[in-house]
Amino acid sequence: MACQSCRYQARLLARSLRATADFALPQNSFAVTARRTAPAAMAKPTTATTTITRTAVMTPPSRRYFSQTTTRRNQAPPSGFKQAIASTMMAAAPKTMAASMTTSRLEALYKACSSQALYQISEQERAKDMVRMTTEGEEVGAPIGPWLQYFDLQPSFSSWSQATMLHMYLVVARLRCLDREASRNLQHQFIDQFFFDCERMMHLNHGMTSSALRQRYLKEIFVQWRGLIAAYDEGVVKDDRVLAAAVWRNLFKSREDVDMRQVAAVVGWMRATLQDLEAAPVEDLLVSPAKVFKRDVRDMLKLVDVVAPQVKEDMANAGAA
């Protein structure tokens, strides 16, 4: 029987081949391609976070549906990898080449998102039943990612998933600027990386060998992902107060004892990163995936501590009075 890693890679390759079918260069002027359609309805915002406990109840994720469409390809194939990405993302590459190149680039882009709050629970701790637990019954491990060191976050599945989804949201916000079909396919592949990794983390870090149990958790995470997009979209469109509330509910789990400096730093970092992504060409997401997040969130912590000029003036006036 194949190991968990082999099954993960096989599913990832099969999914990427299906998702990049639209990008294949046809042999004639017409090509029948498979196109994914988005879920029929957007989920409402949610404030819940996923926790891995010894007794959990979950529901399987909904499946995407495929529809057949006939399209005409008249564009000449561009030259160069970056130009190919800019022209509807790999539209000129053969099917297998497009799948391989796009998948590897998206995997590198996803790793840049998932490594920020990474943690690990060793097999020795699991075998000796020495895994630490929070007061809520959530398993925690050894922190690896930098966000677990900068912020007051537990090295747990819920912290990792929320931090990863926050970074993914920024990438997805930039991918929306692409052509509709290219954006939809790339988003599906990119998000699939996350759900495959969630299943891997459940199996390796938390010893969850039941496939049905993992699928139920994935359904819950999918609902959280849809709600997170709506919550962060609202905050980005409105103001920092709304965005800070969304960060507090999701990343910091609505904790009353949270340091608001950390919430403000995350909000400032999100705004600055969105500006950086908007200023750079969208194809740079796949050309240089390791350099997507250029800013250090610790700089935002320093910025939060700086007293604003208006506050200094008010304090000076109060002292003079």
Side-chain angles (χ1 to χ4, degrees), residues 67 70 78 89 94-95 146-147 196 200 210 212-213 233 261 263 319:
S67 61
T70 303
M89 293 291 182
K95 178 178 178 180
W147 277 45
F196 287 143
R200 183 187 64 85
S210 172
L213 196 61
D233 276 348
R261 293 173 54 257
V263 178

Side-chain angles (χ1 to χ4, degrees), residues 236-247:
V236 169
V237 171
K238 290 185 177 180
D239 53 37
D240 288 347
R241 293 176 299 175
V242 179
L243 183 57
V247 171

Side-chain angles (χ1 to χ4, degrees), residues 51 110 136 155 164-165 168 203 207 222 232-233 239 245 256 274-275 291 301 309:
T51 58
Y110 168 73
E136 293 82 12
T164 300
M165 287 191 289
M168 289 173 58
H203 181 81
F222 177 75
Y232 287 162
D233 276 348
D239 53 37
E256 296 182 359
L274 285 172
Q275 289 182 349
K291 300 179 181 179
L301 284 170

Side-chain angles (χ1 to χ4, degrees), residues 13-80:
L13 178 59
R15 187 70 63 88
S16 64
L17 286 172
R18 291 197 299 268
T20 51
D22 283 349
F23 300 145
L25 183 64
Q27 300 298 326
N28 49 41
S29 58
F30 293 91
V32 178
T33 59
R35 181 176 59 187
R36 293 188 176 192
T37 58
M42 285 285 292
K44 296 182 179 179
T46 178
T47 60
T49 55
T50 302
T51 58
I52 300 295
T53 59
R54 299 186 187 275
T55 58
V57 180
M58 305 165 297
T59 44
S62 57
R63 298 181 179 177
R64 300 189 182 96
Y65 299 91
F66 297 88
S67 61
Q68 298 294 326
T69 180
T70 303
T71 58
R72 181 185 295 271
R73 309 296 178 109
N74 295 323
Q75 294 83 359
S79 60

Side-chain angles (χ1 to χ4, degrees), residues 195-252:
F195 285 99
F196 287 143
D197 201 23
C198 283
E199 189 172 7
R200 183 187 64 85
M201 294 283 283
M202 293 176 192
H203 181 81
L204 297 180
N205 271 355
H206 299 278
M208 194 177 296
T209 57
S210 172
S211 177
L213 196 61
R214 295 196 301 266
Q215 292 300 316
R216 293 176 186 175
Y217 261 122
L218 293 178
K219 170 60 178 178
E220 183 179 341
I221 297 171
F222 177 75
V223 174
Q224 290 180 23
W225 166 247
R226 303 294 291 185
L228 179 142
I229 291 177
Y232 287 162
D233 276 348
E234 182 185 18
V236 169
V237 171
K238 290 185 177 180
D239 53 37
D240 288 347
R241 293 176 299 175
V242 179
L243 183 57
V247 171
W248 175 68
R249 291 195 308 269
N250 290 278
L251 183 62
F252 294 98

